[in-house]
Amino acid sequence: MDLLIEPLSAAAFAPFGQVIEVSDMARHFTINAGFAERYHDLARVDVASAGGRPQISIFRARPRSLPMALILLERHPLGSQAFMPLSQLPYLVVVAPPADASRPDLARLRCFAAGPGQGVNYAAGTWHHPLLALQAECDFLVVDRGGAASDHNCDEFALDGLDLWLAVGPNTPESFSSQSVA
Amino acid sequence: MDLLIEPLSAAAFAPFGQVIEVSDMARHFTINAGFAERYHDLARVDVASAGGRPQISIFRARPRSLPMALILLERHPLGSQAFMPLSQLPYLVVVAPPADASRPDLARLRCFAAGPGQGVNYAAGTWHHPLLALQAECDFLVVDRGGAASDHNCDEFALDGLDLWLAVGPNTPESFSSQSVA
């Protein structure tokens, strides 16, 4: 089965978390005597469960090649996880709502193409594919939950054998297709 | 008086907070079946004082021109504040240690040129100049403290009249001088 790539937008992503981006939809105001505009409080950082704390890391991602088959989804039940690209390179975001307490609803799997300047914050417990960089190695700033090594904060759900492929579709952004697909 | 621009490094910045960057000095490990390297927990996010919470914003900064005179320092007594550039453009970081409980020690003011891929996290209470973007408008991801509007989380210290100028010096990175100074 093909999973068609669609544009990332705040509205489409709302069931899964927040899009982190400069937008007039966000509350914003001028600071620093006019030298900066603050786009304020763009993501719900939800990391305090079970004694967690916020942490900042950098993920350096190796690129994938399209077409690709999806292998697994994961979720972090105890905390949100934000990814902000530190480059202008495109990347993909694959998410699914829950089917029940332990499984994603694969019939409602979505794949979003993030544009330049778009990050995402996965709400705690959201099923998502690991980072899908394309084209070249690129870095992401990550804000997620730090806790005890014994905390149970990662579930995985295998997709191999399901023959799920990422594919360009009618709504795939044209800029994405021309840049990213061999 | 001229304040000479020097390179940003983790060691030089240690009295003021952390440099957020990919470095073999950081703990790092491979994740996502080999498709990413996690440079782990690079900044001390310290935002819980007085009921605070972590928040993620984007600052869109207008560029300054060099030479420039410094006008003021500020500090956030209740929380750390991290800035990660979302472009490869250079920017400057001006900080000072405290002289006493209410004033920065201007004799020990420092100005660091951040290179591509370098962010900073100001420790709670660190005196710093507002964002100093150069060359062009650029965006920064900011992780700082959200709290009540009535919280006292910003002090300012005026520098105008002190005739403090940012200037290229013998340790200013050559790449910075050639790119950034008219």
Side-chain angles (χ1 to χ4, degrees):
Chain A
M1 196 190 84
D2 281 351
L3 178 62
L4 303 184
I5 300 167
E6 52 185 315
L8 179 63
S9 70
F13 193 70
F16 310 106
Q18 299 83 40
V19 176
I20 302 169
E21 64 185 332
V22 166
S23 157
D24 280 332
M25 303 291 285
R27 182 180 160 214
H28 59 101
F29 44 93
T30 304
I31 57 172
N32 297 353
F35 277 97
E37 189 75 6
R38 179 173 178 128
Y39 292 84
H40 184 67
D41 203 9
L42 301 174
R44 182 159 181 262
V45 183
D46 171 21
V47 296
S49 289
R53 62 178 177 84
Q55 63 187 12
I56 297 176
S57 302
I58 295 174
F59 285 14
R60 173 158 285 180
R62 282 178 51 208
R64 320 269 183 157
S65 298
L66 295 182
M68 71 168 278
L70 296 176
I71 302 295
L72 81 104
L73 298 179
E74 61 180 25
R75 66 174 177 183
H76 307 300
L78 296 180
S80 61
Q81 189 176 42
F83 290 85
M84 190 73 201
L86 301 178
S87 73
Q88 302 298 306
L89 296 170
Y91 67 100
L92 296 173
V93 175
V94 172
V95 284
D100 58 31
S102 63
R103 292 176 313 147
D105 181 352
L106 299 181
R108 293 194 290 156
L109 202 60
R110 308 279 289 271
C111 179
F112 299 104
Q118 287 188 312
V120 291
N121 183 51
Y122 298 119
T126 297
W127 288 106
H128 61 278
H129 195 279
L131 259 183
L132 290 169
L134 302 165
Q135 291 187 8
E137 185 176 85
C138 55
D139 292 345
F140 293 78
L141 196 76
V142 176
V143 179
D144 63 3
R145 177 187 178 277
S150 58
D151 288 346
H152 175 78
N153 194 27
C154 192
D155 294 319
E156 292 187 349
F157 188 87
L159 300 177
D160 49 325
L162 294 181
D163 204 28
L164 278 168
W165 291 80
L166 296 181
V168 170
N171 292 326
T172 304
E174 197 165 333
S175 60
F176 175 84
S177 316
S178 60
Q179 283 173 62
S180 310
V181 181
Chain B
M1 196 188 86
D2 281 352
L3 179 62
L4 303 184
I5 300 167
E6 53 186 312
L8 180 63
S9 70
F13 193 72
F16 310 106
Q18 299 84 41
V19 176
I20 301 169
E21 64 186 335
V22 166
S23 157
D24 280 333
M25 303 289 284
R27 182 179 160 216
H28 58 102
F29 44 92
T30 302
I31 58 173
N32 296 352
F35 277 98
E37 188 75 5
R38 181 177 177 126
Y39 293 81
H40 183 68
D41 203 10
L42 302 174
R44 181 160 181 262
V45 183
D46 170 22
V47 296
S49 289
R53 62 178 177 82
Q55 64 187 10
I56 296 176
S57 302
I58 295 175
F59 286 14
R60 174 157 284 181
R62 282 178 50 207
R64 319 267 183 160
S65 300
L66 295 182
M68 71 169 276
L70 296 175
I71 301 295
L72 81 104
L73 299 179
E74 62 181 25
R75 67 176 176 182
H76 307 299
L78 296 180
S80 60
Q81 190 175 42
F83 290 85
M84 191 72 200
L86 301 178
S87 72
Q88 303 298 307
L89 295 169
Y91 67 100
L92 296 174
V93 175
V94 172
V95 284
D100 58 31
S102 63
R103 293 175 313 147
D105 182 352
L106 299 182
R108 293 193 287 156
L109 202 60
R110 308 278 291 271
C111 179
F112 299 105
Q118 288 189 312
V120 291
N121 183 50
Y122 298 119
T126 297
W127 288 105
H128 62 278
H129 196 280
L131 260 184
L132 290 169
L134 301 164
Q135 290 186 13
E137 186 176 85
C138 56
D139 293 344
F140 293 79
L141 196 77
V142 175
V143 180
D144 63 5
R145 176 187 178 278
S150 58
D151 288 348
H152 176 77
N153 194 26
C154 190
D155 294 319
E156 293 188 349
F157 188 87
L159 301 176
D160 49 326
L162 294 180
D163 204 29
L164 278 168
W165 291 81
L166 296 181
V168 169
N171 293 326
T172 304
E174 197 166 334
S175 60
F176 175 82
S177 316
S178 62
Q179 284 174 62
S180 310
V181 181

